[in-house]
Amino acid sequence: AKELNPQADGSVSRLQFDGLWRLTEIIGCPAAPLHQALGCPSKEFDAQTLALFYEGILHERDLKARIRERGYLVFDYPDGIRAKDVPVVCHPDGNFMGEEILETKSVNEATDAESFIKSHPQYVKQVMGYMRILDMNVARIVAKARSTGWILDDILIEYDPVIIEP
């Protein structure tokens, strides 16, 4: 069992800046690009945080499998996408074959989609960044309650350069 649990060994953290900023780091902490460029080491994740990330990956896989079972084609980005004009890389959860960005989220408790997105405005910026980098106009966020498996109504986000360009 010990080998099956995520290990808090810092392997998820980047210890040296590689010249590319991760979109989610920039949105989550606006100071992250400066710290990385100055050579500050990234914070290591503890075992609880790694377990939460791992659980999120399992929910993402489940949601994408359910979507595909309904007949939708979802393109994956296993290596992420690099922006053409800025040194930023992003990792969208998927793409409805050129029509919409797909972003999946797992949530603590079942709530309605509107209150979920209002309490997590960083997800709007996250998908706006994906849309900018991929030159797309719509993103769809599909969220699932971790404890019950209940899937909230889809959240459609339209691209707005005023929000993401700065």
Side-chain angles (χ1 to χ4, degrees):
K2 196 173 191 178
E3 295 172 359
L4 299 177
N5 289 318
Q7 301 298 310
D9 62 2
S11 62
V12 176
S13 299
R14 295 187 300 151
L15 299 177
Q16 290 190 330
F17 180 58
D18 62 3
L20 289 174
W21 289 297
R22 303 326 186 246
L23 180 68
T24 52
E25 291 173 337
I26 295 168
I27 289 168
C29 176
L34 176 61
H35 292 154
Q36 290 170 2
L38 291 174
C40 300
S42 297
K43 177 183 166 188
E44 292 186 9
F45 296 108
D46 60 22
Q48 185 176 1
T49 302
L50 289 176
L52 185 62
F53 288 162
Y54 181 70
E55 183 180 357
I57 290 168
L58 295 176
H59 288 294
E60 174 189 334
R61 289 178 183 167
D62 175 59
L63 283 168
K64 286 169 43 174
R66 291 186 196 196
I67 291 167
R68 287 178 172 128
E69 285 175 3
R70 304 293 301 163
Y72 294 97
L73 297 174
V74 178
F75 179 78
D76 292 319
Y77 297 101
D79 298 321
I81 300 293
R82 183 176 173 175
K84 294 175 186 160
D85 59 342
V86 291
V88 173
V89 66
C90 68
H91 296 86
D93 292 336
N95 175 328
F96 286 110
M97 299 311 290
E99 299 295 322
E100 297 174 347
I101 296 293
L102 170 64
E103 184 63 17
T104 61
K105 298 294 178 191
S106 57
V107 299
N108 284 332
E109 55 190 57
T111 181
D112 64 278
E114 187 175 319
S115 60
F116 168 72
I117 203 64
K118 279 184 182 176
S119 64
H120 297 89
Q122 71 274 21
Y123 296 150
V124 174
K125 288 182 181 177
Q126 180 183 1
V127 298
M128 288 274 182
Y130 295 163
M131 287 186 275
R132 182 197 183 280
I133 289 171
L134 292 163
D135 194 27
M136 296 179 73
N137 293 316
V138 179
R140 181 178 301 267
I141 299 174
V142 180
K144 174 185 171 188
R146 288 186 202 102
S147 61
T148 64
W150 184 258
I151 299 173
L152 307 180
D153 290 341
D154 292 3
I155 302 163
L156 290 176
I157 308 292
E158 292 187 18
Y159 183 72
D160 183 349
V162 173
I163 291 175
I164 198 61
E165 285 302 325

